[in-house]
Amino acid sequence: MTSTTAIKRPENRWRHDPGQPLLAIDEPPPYSVFNPDGASPYLLLCEHASNRIPRALGDLGLPEQERQRHIAWDIGVAALSLQLSRTLDAPLFMANYSRLVIDCNRPLGAPSAIPEISETTEIPGNFDLSEAEKAQRVETLFKPFADAVSRRLDLLQGQGKRTLVVGIHSFTPVYFGKQRPWQAGILYDRATGFAQSLMRGLRADPGLTIGDNEPYNIHPDEDYTVPVHADGRDLPGVLVEVRHDLIDTLDGVAEWGDRLTRCLNTALEECR
C-alpha cells in the first residue's frame, strides 16, 4: 500500500543530500545588504522579499502559479524596502530566498519556520524532512541573515547610536476566504509609543483603515524580528504591513514609499 507521504512526495523528487551544498556557486547568497552606510537611525529588514527556491530543492512540489502567490513571499516588499532605504537613507538587510524554504521571521522550531502547509496549500517538498535537511536550511539561509542583522545591531549599540528596527511586510487582501478591511497595519509588542506614532501618521489620511496589531500580532512563538532584534535588545521595533495589491505596481510602491517615509520621519521626532 502506498503511504500518504509517498503520494505527496515521490522518492527523491525534492530530496537534497544535506551532505552536499544547498546553494550552487552561481546562486545568490542568503541575503543582501543595501545602503550599508546609511545614516538613518532606522535599520530596515525585509525577511520575505523573494520567492526564490534553491535549485537543489526543485520547486518544492509547487506549480509556478502557487510559487507566485503570497504564500511564497511578500509581494511588493522588495521594491518598497529599496525605496524606503533610499528615501530614509537607511541600511536594508534583505533575505534572498522564499519563506517556504525557511522563514527568517520565525523562531527555529516553530511549525511555520519550514511550513508543511501555508494557508490551505500543502508544500510537498517540506514533508518528512530529516533533522539534517532542516539543519542545512537553518545553517545556509536562516543563520547568515539573522547573524548579519545581529552583528550590525551589536555595532550600532556598541557605538551608542540611536537605532530603531523596522521590518517591511505585505499581506494578502483575502485570507482563508475572508476579505481584510485594512490597507496597512503596524505590528508591535513593547514599542507602543513608536507604533502609535506611525499609526497616527497613517490615519491622517481619512481614506485609510490602519490595523493596530492587525492583520497579525507579535508573539515570541511565531515571530523573530521584533522579539529578538528589537524588544530583546530594548530597541524600538515594529513590522509595517501593507496590503500587497496596493504595492504590486511601481506607482503603488512610490505612493506608499512616500507615505511611509513621512510617517517614519515624523516618528523619529515624536519618539525621542
Side-chain angles (χ1 to χ4, degrees), residues 79-109:
L80 180 61
S81 297
L82 287 167
Q83 173 155 330
L84 290 172
S85 177
R86 291 191 297 270
T87 56
L88 295 168
D89 190 25
L92 165 63
F93 286 68
M94 185 180 289
N96 286 335
Y97 289 86
S98 173
R99 62 177 166 209
L100 295 180
V101 181
I102 191 164
D103 194 323
C104 289
N105 188 36
R106 296 290 183 271
L108 298 178

Side-chain angles (χ1 to χ4, degrees), residues 22-23 27-32 46-55 57-75 77-78 94-106 112-118 121-123 125-126 129 134 136-138 140-143 145 169:
L22 181 59
L23 299 181
E27 289 185 284
Y31 67 93
S32 298
C46 191
E47 308 95 323
H48 301 155
S50 177
N51 64 348
R52 182 181 291 109
I53 297 170
R55 285 200 300 272
L57 301 180
D59 55 15
L60 290 180
L62 296 171
E64 174 71 14
Q65 182 179 357
E66 293 292 331
R67 287 181 277 121
Q68 291 296 332
R69 288 181 54 218
H70 194 89
I71 62 169
W73 58 339
D74 279 5
I75 295 167
V77 294
M94 185 180 289
N96 286 335
Y97 289 86
S98 173
R99 62 177 166 209
L100 295 180
V101 181
I102 191 164
D103 194 323
C104 289
N105 188 36
R106 296 290 183 271
S112 55
I114 303 177
E116 294 186 356
I117 186 167
S118 182
T121 301
E122 291 187 341
I123 317 301
N126 288 346
L129 295 181
K134 294 176 185 177
Q136 185 180 48
R137 296 191 192 187
V138 171
T140 304
L141 301 176
F142 182 94
K143 279 184 63 63
F145 179 80
H169 291 253

